[in-house]
């Protein structure tokens, strides 16, 4: 089945120690997204890639970066995790249909990040 | 800018009772409206999607939603709640990106 895969499902890191989360997709979608979701809150968009074009949300901290080496894979790098970065990180994909709107987003299972 | 309001951060129903989760969006009609469900420690799963083809949209697990332009609403309903419906539900509108509501946690009592 076509799907969005995130690894690892659970990640523990130390304060200030760089961490990378990965996402892969078999849907062949143009767009890949990274969201941060804290407890009992809606997902917050960090950035997205439309093909190779990177789009950063204005309020995404510089501590968060992303790479998309090919259509299937996308990585989230947190350069110096703080306690406030502990959250669920969700990857999603979609096809972009023109400029009138974003089509259905398909989400991975998420990676829960703990910062000690 | 688009905004999405979900009234009631927590809703509790008895098993077998009607489920009604409310969603209102800001006045300009968005191209797409969605409902997603999220179980603990899982990603978001699509329940249903409105694309202007029909105002009453049927989704998975017996859920449906009705688009009402006059009320700028897209409420989610299910005639009979099941224990397995306990989860968090998010309404979203789509323009250049998704705008999510704040979510409603559904509790189902036996």
């Amino acid at each position: 089945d076509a799907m969005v895969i995130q690894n690892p499902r659970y990640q523990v890191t130390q304060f200030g120690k760089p961490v990378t989360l990965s996402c892969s997709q078999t849907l062949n979608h143009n767009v890949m997204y990274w969201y941060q979701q804290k407890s009992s809150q809606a997902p917050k968009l960090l950035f997205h890639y439309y093909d190779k074009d990177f789009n950063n949300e204005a309020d995404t901290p510089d501590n968060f970066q992303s790479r998309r080496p090919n259509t299937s894979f996308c990585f989230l790098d947190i350069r110096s995790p703080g306690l406030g970065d502990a959250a669920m990180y969700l990857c999603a994909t979609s096809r972009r249909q023109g400029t009138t709107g974003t089509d259905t987003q398909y989400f991975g299972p998420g990676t829960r990040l703990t910062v000690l | 800018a688009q905004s999405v309001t979900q009234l009631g951060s927590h809703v509790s129903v008895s098993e077998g009772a009607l489920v009604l989760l409310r969603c209102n969006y800001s006045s300009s009609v968005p191209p797409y409206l969605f409902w997603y469900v999220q179980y603990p420690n899982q990603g978001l799963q699509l329940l249903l999607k409105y694309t202007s083809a029909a105002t009453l949209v049927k989704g998975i697990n017996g859920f449906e939603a009705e688009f009402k332009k006059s009320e700028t609403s897209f409420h989610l309903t299910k005639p009979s709640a099941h224990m397995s419906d306990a989860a968090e539900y998010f309404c979203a509108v789509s323009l250049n990106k998704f705008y999510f509501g704040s979510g409603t946690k559904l509790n189902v009592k036996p």
Side-chain angles (χ1 to χ4, degrees), chain A residues 15-32:
Chain A
F15 182 93
K17 185 176 181 180
V19 66
T20 295
L21 310 181
S22 72
C23 176
S24 64
Q25 55 129 340
T26 61
L27 297 160
N28 202 32
H29 283 168
N30 296 95
V31 194
M32 294 187 77

Side-chain angles (χ1 to χ4, degrees), chain B residues 10-55:
Chain B
H10 291 80
V11 170
S12 186
V13 300
S14 298
E15 192 172 20
L18 171 72
V19 176
L20 171 60
L21 304 182
R22 300 177 185 274
C23 174
N24 289 87
Y25 59 92
S26 54
S27 60
S28 58
V29 178
Y32 304 113
L33 287 159
F34 301 84
W35 275 100
Y36 285 84
V37 61
Q38 186 177 32
Y39 298 99
N41 288 313
Q42 296 288 328
L44 277 66
Q45 180 184 0
L46 179 69
L47 273 179
L48 50 81
K49 165 185 170 182
Y50 166 76
T51 60
S52 76
T55 56

Side-chain angles (χ1 to χ4, degrees), chain A residues 37 57 100 102-103 105 112, chain B residues 31 36 38 41 49 94 97:
Chain A
Q37 186 181 28
E57 292 298 297
T100 56
T102 302
D103 199 1
Q105 291 191 15
R112 183 163 296 284
Chain B
Y36 285 84
Q38 186 177 32
N41 288 313
K49 165 185 170 182
S94 165
K97 64 179 183 180

Side-chain angles (χ1 to χ4, degrees), chain A residues 43-64:
Chain A
K44 178 180 182 296
L45 183 63
L46 295 173
F47 26 59
H48 74 276
Y49 274 94
Y50 184 14
D51 293 327
K52 293 184 179 180
D53 293 333
F54 178 71
N55 298 272
N56 199 35
E57 292 298 297
D59 57 354
T60 298
D62 292 341
N63 198 27
F64 292 87

